[in-house]
Amino acid sequence: TYTLKDGTGGGLASNYSLANTTGLSATIEKKALTVNSNSITADNKVYDGTTTATVKAGGAKLDNVVGNDKVNLETKDASGTFDTKNVGTGKNVSVTGLSLKGADKDNYTLGDFSVTADITPATLTITSNPANRNQGQSNPAFSGSISGFVPGENEQNATDGTLSFTTTATFSSGAGSYPITGGGMTAK
């Protein structure tokens, strides 16, 4: 029921009448829910050449549920994706596969959700090939290899520089074992 009242600027209610209007309707929009930011986490990982992230969402909770509405978060299909495959700290991880369940779920929507995690560098191993020489002779040419690359990456597409080897043994070194150390490479 609506009633007209006199206005403060001198307008009189008696100068107007309300028409009886029928057929009006209103739309009630779904309320957007958010996931409690402390209830889903992503694991840090060592660089593996992918954006795949492992998320832990088992105890995830919703924020903004109205009163005693019956709505919960379904997390069994939760998965995560890093923003890039590259090493970094505090990287954005998008979480997908979350859904709503419960008697009142149709009154709500669930927005996008993300967390952060780190990708740390993978370790490459330089292995030198054994080398021998007689005392009083020059060192031979040293050789070796690099291992530990993720699938699809290798020395040519993941590193810069030239693999080289050195030793502490010199022309005048006595008989014995000496280390052969590889280096000269940096990650791209």
Side-chain angles (χ1 to χ4, degrees):
T1 302
Y2 295 97
T3 305
L4 293 176
K5 294 188 176 188
D6 289 340
T8 57
L12 298 175
S14 60
N15 291 333
Y16 299 94
S17 66
L18 286 174
N20 188 8
T21 306
T22 60
L24 296 178
S25 65
T27 301
I28 299 175
E29 299 291 332
K30 293 182 178 192
K31 181 174 176 82
L33 295 179
T34 57
V35 178
N36 182 291
S37 61
N38 296 321
S39 64
I40 295 180
T41 60
D43 291 345
N44 297 332
K45 74 173 187 174
V46 175
Y47 175 76
D48 65 2
T50 72
T51 58
T52 302
T54 300
V55 295
K56 293 179 181 166
K61 297 178 179 148
L62 293 168
D63 290 333
N64 307 334
V65 174
V66 175
N68 293 321
D69 276 4
K70 306 286 188 256
V71 61
N72 294 302
L73 188 62
E74 179 61 68
T75 62
K76 68 180 169 90
D77 295 326
S79 63
T81 306
F82 279 95
D83 54 355
T84 71
K85 68 177 184 171
N86 300 320
V87 169
T89 57
K91 294 179 64 68
N92 189 57
V93 177
S94 297
V95 179
T96 58
L98 301 174
S99 60
L100 298 175
K101 64 181 181 177
D104 298 313
K105 70 177 182 169
D106 293 335
N107 293 327
Y108 296 92
T109 61
L110 187 60
D112 294 336
F113 185 73
S114 64
V115 294
T116 60
D118 303 339
I119 299 177
T120 58
T123 301
L124 298 177
T125 302
I126 298 175
T127 303
S128 60
N129 295 324
N132 295 304
R133 71 164 173 92
N134 292 324
Q135 186 175 353
Q137 292 183 340
S138 297
N139 289 327
F142 299 121
S143 63
S145 61
I146 302 175
S147 61
F149 292 103
V150 301
E153 295 185 6
N154 55 45
E155 185 178 333
Q156 289 72 37
N157 65 18
T159 61
D160 286 323
T162 302
L163 183 58
S164 60
F165 295 89
T166 60
T167 185
T168 56
T170 64
F171 181 81
S172 59
S173 295
S177 293
Y178 296 88
I180 300 172
T181 306
M185 307 294 291
T186 58
K188 286 187 179 179

